[in-house]
Structure formats: C-alpha cells, structure tokens
Amino acid sequence: MRVAPKSLAGQLTLLLLLALAAAQGVAVALFAWERLEALRHAHRGDAVQRTATVARLLGGTPPALHGSVIAAASTELARFSLTAEPLVGEAGAGERAAVIANDLSRALGVRVERVRVAPLWTRFLDDDDRDDDHDRDDDDNDNDDHDHGGDRDDGGHDHGEPDWFTASVALADGRWLNVAVGPPPGAPAWGLAFVAVFLLSALGIAAVAVVTGRRLAKPMRGIANAAGRLGRGEAVDDLSEAGPEETRETVRAFNLMRARLDRYVSDRTAMLAAVSHDLRTPITSLRLHAEFVEDAETKAKIVAALDEMQRMTEDALAFIREDMQREETRTVDLLALVDSVAGDLAELGHDVAVADTAVADSGRVLVACRPAALRRALRNLLENAADYGGRAAVRIERDDAELRIVVEDEGPGIPDADLERVFEPFVRLEASRSRETGGSGLGLAIARGIVRGHGGDIRLENRAKGGLRATVALPGAGGA
C-alpha cells in the first residue's frame, strides 16, 4: 500500500514536515542535554553548599546535638554521617573529583587537602554506615568501591553519572563529615508550551508547503491537460508562462512543440490537398482523350480506371478537408449519436440494429468529442459491417478505464494476418476494386484516424461464432 502522497504539493509538504521533525528532534535533544547539564550542575552546587552548611552547624553546636543535625540534614539525595575515619580513603582521580574538592574547600574555607572526593556512581550509604562500630570494616570496602569509581571517572561514563559522588571533610575536632550525594532528579517533563510551539510550527510549514506546491504544480497540470487535448486532436492555445524559471522553460518548450506540430501537420495536409487537387486536371484530360479511342473494350477499361482514380482523388480530398476542419469539442450523448447513425443507415436500406442492452445498461452516456468526426467514423464502421456482413449490431459498454462501442456483423470475417493491414489507406481485401463491392479503401483508415484523434483506438477481431467484431475504445467514460 502506497503511503506517500502522489501530488507535488503532498510530497513537498511531507518532505518539509519530515525536515521539521528532524530539525526539532535535534534541537530538542540538544536543549534537553543542556537542561540536564544545568540540573546536574545545580544539584552538585546544592550538595556542596549543604555540606558546608552542615559542617558549620556541627562546629557551632554541642556534640550531643550532632546526631540530630546529621539526621535533619540528610535527605534521599544527600546522606550525611560522622565517623572517626573518612569513608573516602583516598581522593578519587579525575577532573570532576578535583572540581568538587575545590568547590568544597572554598565553601568550607579549608585547604583542599582536608577534602576527599570520589565518585560513588550508584551506591548510597545505608543507615548502618553511621554506626561507629562498623566504620572501619566498611571503610575498607568503601575504599575499594571508591577506587573503582575513581578509575571509572578516568576511563569513561559507561556505568553511571560522574556527578554522583561521596565526599569526606575533616572537621576541627578530628572527626570526618561524610556525604553521599545521589544522582540528580531527571529533567522536568516538557510542558504544553513546547508541544504548542511544535504544532504551530508544523502547521505553518505545512500551509506554506501546500501553497508552494500548488503554485508549482499548477503550470504542470496545465501542461498535462493541454497535452491530453492535443493528443485528442483538439485545438490548444499557447499556455501562459508562469512560475519558477524551470517551469517557464517547460511551458515554453511545450508551446514551441505544439506550434511545430501544428505547422508540420498543416504543411503535410496542404501538400496532400494540392496533389489531390492537381490530379483532377490530368484525369479530366485523359478522360477527353479516351473518347477518341475507337476500340470499345479498350475505351471502357480506360474510363473505368479513370473513374477509379477520380473516386480515390475525391475521397482523399474529402478526408483532407475534414482533417483540416477544426471542429470544436462538445459533450454529447453517445447513445443518441449511435442511434442516429444507425437510423440513417437503416433508411438507406442497411440492416443495422442498436442492441437493447445498450439502453438498459448504459443509460445516458455523456462523452466529450467532436461529434461530426466521430459520427463519420461510426458510419464507416456500421456501413462496412452491413455491406460485408449482411447485418450489423452495435452496443455500448463502459467501465472505469474506457468507453467501448462494439460493432458486430455476421459475415465471413477477415484473415488474422489482415486485421491490421485493412487500416492502411487504399487497402481493400476485395481485389476487383469495383465501386459496387467496396469503396476506395479509406473508410477504416479514416475511422481509425478519427478515433485515435480522440485518444482512443479501433480493434478488429474475428468472432468465435463467425463474423467480425470492431471495438471502438474511447478513454475516460463520461458520467451518466
């Protein structure tokens, strides 16, 4: 299933929205990282200030109250304890540990040697760590953990956040104030303001993309419509050049191509018309000379040949005159047109019938065409079917892809090898070339030229039960 839009405006809109999403994603990632860094820095600074404050409180309160001060100062993010020996055996290596130690020494107003800092990563002090009876036993384990932490601070950031740390500060009475700082809280959730800004940006870009896409696609749609009309033989005026330079060049190239095609067709048609017209003079001259032939049989053959040449010339001129006429395209009821042609032929003695299913199934069939030209094509097909097949039947079929006019007869059919050859000008399968057994061989050529001028085609096939079937296929069936 195709998800991407087919139109230029839709594809441009989707492309810009994807670009917006990618840009916003990168911006959000950078902004989130900066916010998280700011939170970590603030959390570390708060821990340093809290540690300095607790140290000053311990220095200004009686030892009996130190336990209460420690309990009151401890939180889930900063756990304090007083021990005889520092929990941090050795200061951790690394730039972050040094920065935190310097911050603590400045906040406490002591030398940096009296402060030991090591990253803790994911470990918190338990309440039992405050028990002096276990301080020394835990100190060995803590030193091992802290040493590993210090190594991790140097080696990388794979196992935790370097801003999580344990610090031990030497107090004036010889004891050590220990603090285990937990990880900072996560970044705050994005508010409605951020979502609103993103949605407004997306809507604004989508609106600009739709307007721009339609502006770019409008000349292209004009070229497509004009090309379709030109392919159906309709008169097409020059398109206006608008839009970007590339679009203008495309429109300019189409106008030039249309003008050259019109000039080529006009020149060729005019040349054929002149040749056909000029043939009248020598034919008339030969006819006069034939009157002086004394042999009656020879005279009859010459006159018959001249008559055949005269008919071919007149048919060619009629074909060229109709081709040179620029009939306007109109919307007509195709069923009424077919019925009218069949009625005219019936009055001339031809056995032509319009199938009842055409009315029942098709109803009123509207189609845009050049009525006079299409009428001539249908007349040629029905007349051929009635002449060679004895009886002609016509019906209309249609579906979403095309509109079909089916003409069937009950004649002998046509050899498969000649189904396409009969559409060539002046080709007749009846070799006598008698006017009574057929025309000049232009009927099917004219019919196919007209139908192809409407963007369709004519197909011939032999019926399984005998006879010939001619199908006129027209594109884009009109609505009822």
Side-chain angles (χ1 to χ4, degrees), residues 58-253:
L58 292 176
T61 57
L65 298 178
H66 287 179
S68 299
V69 172
I70 293 298
S74 296
T75 64
E76 292 183 356
L77 298 179
R79 309 285 294 276
F80 292 93
S81 64
L82 277 174
T83 59
E85 297 293 334
L87 293 184
V88 181
E90 295 181 1
E95 181 181 355
R96 291 182 181 271
V99 170
I100 296 173
N102 289 330
D103 290 344
L104 281 171
S105 65
R106 284 195 299 268
L108 292 169
V110 298
R111 291 178 301 175
V112 72
E113 291 81 3
R114 297 175 60 85
V115 178
R116 300 180 182 181
V117 177
L120 181 62
W121 303 91
T122 58
R123 185 178 182 277
F124 289 89
L125 288 177
D126 296 327
D127 291 338
D128 293 339
D129 289 337
R130 298 194 188 99
D131 191 347
D132 290 344
D133 294 338
H134 299 84
D135 284 343
R136 295 187 182 272
D137 293 337
D138 291 339
D139 182 55
D140 294 336
N141 296 330
D142 289 338
N143 287 339
D144 293 339
D145 292 339
H146 300 157
D147 290 342
H148 289 300
D151 293 339
R152 294 175 196 172
D153 186 37
D154 292 336
H157 303 163
D158 294 335
H159 302 85
E161 294 294 339
D163 282 345
W164 308 350
F165 62 90
T166 299
S168 295
V169 179
L171 300 179
D173 59 2
R175 292 184 298 174
W176 291 82
L177 174 63
N178 307 291
V179 57
V181 180
W190 304 108
L192 293 177
F194 173 79
V195 177
V197 169
F198 180 79
L199 292 179
L200 289 176
S201 300
L203 290 176
I205 289 181
V208 172
V210 169
V211 173
T212 304
R214 288 183 176 179
R215 180 175 178 270
L216 294 176
K218 184 177 179 180
M220 307 308 295
R221 285 195 298 268
I223 293 177
N225 294 333
R229 296 199 309 272
L230 185 64
R232 294 191 297 269
E234 301 179 23
V236 178
D237 297 329
D238 284 344
L239 301 178
S240 60
E241 299 179 9
E245 183 61 29
E246 291 80 3
T247 305
R248 291 173 179 268
E249 291 180 358
T250 303
V251 175
R252 192 178 302 120

Side-chain angles (χ1 to χ4, degrees), residues 406-420:
V406 182
V407 179
E408 295 178 339
D409 62 47
E410 299 175 357
I414 297 176
D416 292 340
D418 295 326
L419 289 177
E420 282 296 320

